[in-house]
Amino acid sequence: PSTGISELDPVVENFSPIQTSDYYGAQQLAEEPRLLEAYKRLASAAERLDTRPVSLAGLGLTETQLKQVVNYYMADYPQHFWVGTSYSFGVQNDVVTTIEWSYTMSAQEAQQASRQVQAAAARILQGLEGLSEYEIEKHIHDALVSAVTYDTTQQKDYIHTLYGALVNGEAVCDGYARAFQYLLYQVGIPCLLVTGKSRG
């Protein structure tokens, strides 16, 4: 199976996006080649919006290991905002053999949406040359706070994604976080998505 994963297309001059090999999950799995290979296969299939089951045969993954790989992938790739939250997988003799993603957009819609995301990101990231990392992070934070409204209804499409934040201007917590992560990726600053609970 193909594990070719494209690097982020830069949206502004004078900055190089972080490399996919420097994503947190990729680094955590680097010592476990089978899990890293599964992670790369998942990312590659999702990037292409491949609707066919992704083969994980020969990797010997348990369901627990698959869940770990999926969690790392989902936390590392905000730019794959078309990937749904559900997936299915095949098991044979207690070993995971395939995984199949669900998508919220068609390939054509995702391509158009990616262009919109890149344009919105470019507007936020203009004029950051010469600033410190802290100043860049604060600028991005302030731009998101100004441009994005928290969706208190929790009902609108894409509010959990960077697309909701950057293009629609509406998001909830993880939508803000994924937009921030993507923007930091674009300026070469590593960023880790952290999940948790607040007030239950």
Side-chain angles (χ1 to χ4, degrees):
S2 170
T3 54
I5 305 167
S6 299
E7 301 297 338
L8 279 178
D9 291 329
V11 299
V12 289
E13 292 181 20
N14 303 319
F15 287 102
S16 296
I18 186 174
Q19 299 291 298
T20 57
S21 59
D22 292 329
Y23 290 2
Y24 180 79
Q27 290 182 338
Q28 295 304 303
L29 297 174
E31 299 295 318
E32 302 185 61
R34 293 178 306 111
L35 302 187
L36 181 59
E37 176 63 18
Y39 168 95
K40 289 179 178 179
R41 290 183 192 182
L42 301 186
S44 178
E47 185 170 291
R48 297 187 320 272
L49 284 92
D50 195 338
T51 57
R52 298 169 298 175
V54 179
S55 174
L56 300 176
L59 299 180
L61 268 62
T62 65
E63 289 183 38
T64 300
Q65 289 171 322
L66 176 66
K67 184 175 182 182
Q68 177 187 18
V69 168
V70 167
N71 287 341
Y72 277 136
Y73 159 72
M74 295 296 282
D76 278 353
Y77 280 84
Q79 65 267 35
H80 292 175
F81 51 83
W82 49 80
V83 174
T85 56
S86 64
Y87 61 92
S88 59
F89 58 93
V91 177
Q92 190 172 28
N93 299 324
D94 296 324
V95 174
V96 177
T97 56
T98 60
I99 185 171
E100 195 169 349
W101 287 124
S102 66
Y103 301 112
T104 60
M105 295 180 173
S106 69
Q108 185 177 7
E109 290 169 334
Q111 191 174 45
Q112 172 64 26
S114 288
R115 286 193 293 270
Q116 292 175 299
V117 164
Q118 290 170 351
R123 286 191 295 274
I124 290 173
L125 298 175
Q126 289 299 322
L128 299 182
E129 298 82 6
L131 298 182
S132 69
E133 282 192 5
Y134 171 78
E135 290 168 328
I136 290 171
E137 291 169 14
K138 185 170 185 324
H139 169 86
I140 292 170
H141 167 274
D142 293 350
L144 288 174
V145 168
S146 296
V148 184
T149 301
Y150 193 93
D151 176 29
T152 56
T153 71
Q154 307 263 330
Q155 301 290 323
K156 297 185 179 159
D157 292 336
Y158 305 110
I159 57 174
H160 296 279
T161 70
L162 72 97
Y163 180 82
L166 295 181
V167 177
N168 294 341
E170 293 183 304
V172 291
C173 302
D174 54 344
Y176 279 92
R178 290 176 192 280
F180 189 72
Q181 180 183 30
Y182 172 78
L183 293 166
L184 287 183
Y185 277 5
Q186 280 290 343
V187 294
I189 299 175
C191 183
L192 167 64
L193 182 73
V194 177
T195 59
K197 292 182 188 256
S198 172
R199 288 175 258 167

